Amino acid sequence: MTVRLPAEQRKRQVLDAACKIFADRGFHSTSMDDIAAAVGVTKPVLYQHFDSKRSLFLELLDDVGIQLLTELSNATGAANSQRARVESGFTAYFSFVTGNESAFRLLFGAAVRNDPDFSIVAERVLDDAAEKIADLIEIPGSPQHRRVLAHGLIGIAEATSRDALTDDGSALDPTLLAHWVAELAWFGLRGVRIDEPISR
């Protein structure tokens, strides 16, 4: 017998189950029947919350992005120095990745990049993250300069996460990852020179 849950609680349950199934099987190989079975509800119950599998997936991408950005904001907002913000931000990111591997694979997977609707959401998450990170970079450069550096830091974090999750099947300690990568990022940012002429 299916337990009747409040709408928001049921929706949260569906999103959590769908995240793992989509990450494991991919969008096209996952059916609404699969998700309904994982949640322990009938398919019509899913359609009370989502119009289609595609709308579920799009909302899931948004949800994962919000979770990640919230973790980053909370961690960097609580830090009391620029150096601490760098390490806290990476710690939050790697903790999210190692604690939510399905969410990471969902948001940064190839399937998302290959679908125009899905890629728009994923790119928006990355752009929002870059905006938040750019605001934390304390150099006297232009907003565009800080934004480019922010995307570079996101690229480092994403590549490091992929390596950490696939190295030997076990994720590395997120605090240690953050310490190593924060050292690279911090001293790299300290070395940024503003308005240096470019030789051609």
Side-chain angles (χ1 to χ4, degrees), residues 5-196:
L5 297 175
E8 284 306 308
Q9 193 174 341
R10 177 66 76 195
K11 190 173 186 180
R12 177 75 266 156
Q13 186 184 40
V14 171
L15 288 170
D16 290 342
C19 183
K20 184 172 188 328
I21 296 172
F22 279 131
D24 288 344
R25 303 181 189 177
F27 176 76
H28 295 293
S29 297
T30 300
S31 69
M32 290 293 263
D33 286 315
D34 295 330
I35 297 168
V39 177
V41 299
T42 62
K43 193 159 65 170
V45 170
L46 295 187
Y47 286 112
Q48 291 173 10
H49 300 283
F50 305 98
D51 294 336
S52 64
K53 182 174 76 167
R54 177 166 285 268
S55 69
L56 167 55
F57 194 82
L58 285 166
E59 187 161 342
L60 183 56
L61 288 175
D62 262 328
D63 180 68
V64 167
I66 289 168
Q67 289 181 51
L68 175 58
L69 293 174
T70 300
E71 293 292 328
L72 290 174
S73 293
N74 290 343
T76 56
N80 55 15
S81 70
Q82 176 69 4
R83 177 66 180 82
R85 277 193 289 276
V86 172
E87 188 146 349
S88 295
F90 278 116
T91 300
Y93 183 92
F94 292 130
S95 294
F96 179 85
V97 168
T98 56
N100 303 271
E101 184 177 345
S102 293
F104 174 79
R105 289 192 287 121
L106 189 82
L107 191 59
F108 293 101
V112 170
R113 307 294 187 207
N114 294 333
D115 184 290
D117 292 336
F118 301 157
S119 66
I120 287 172
V121 178
E123 288 303 319
R124 186 172 68 241
V125 171
L126 293 179
D127 286 343
D128 288 346
E131 290 291 344
K132 289 181 182 297
I133 293 167
D135 287 342
L136 300 173
I137 296 176
E138 295 180 356
I139 61 171
S142 66
Q144 183 182 22
H145 189 174
R146 290 195 297 275
R147 184 178 171 79
V148 167
L149 295 176
H151 273 289
L153 294 176
I154 291 170
I156 290 171
E158 182 182 343
T160 301
S161 296
R162 290 186 188 283
D163 178 69
L165 293 175
T166 59
D167 187 27
D168 61 359
S170 61
L172 292 175
D173 174 30
T175 304
L176 182 60
L177 282 176
H179 179 69
W180 288 341
V181 176
E183 288 287 297
L184 170 64
W186 174 251
F187 288 108
L189 290 172
R190 294 308 89 201
V192 171
R193 293 180 290 179
I194 309 306
D195 296 329
E196 286 288 316

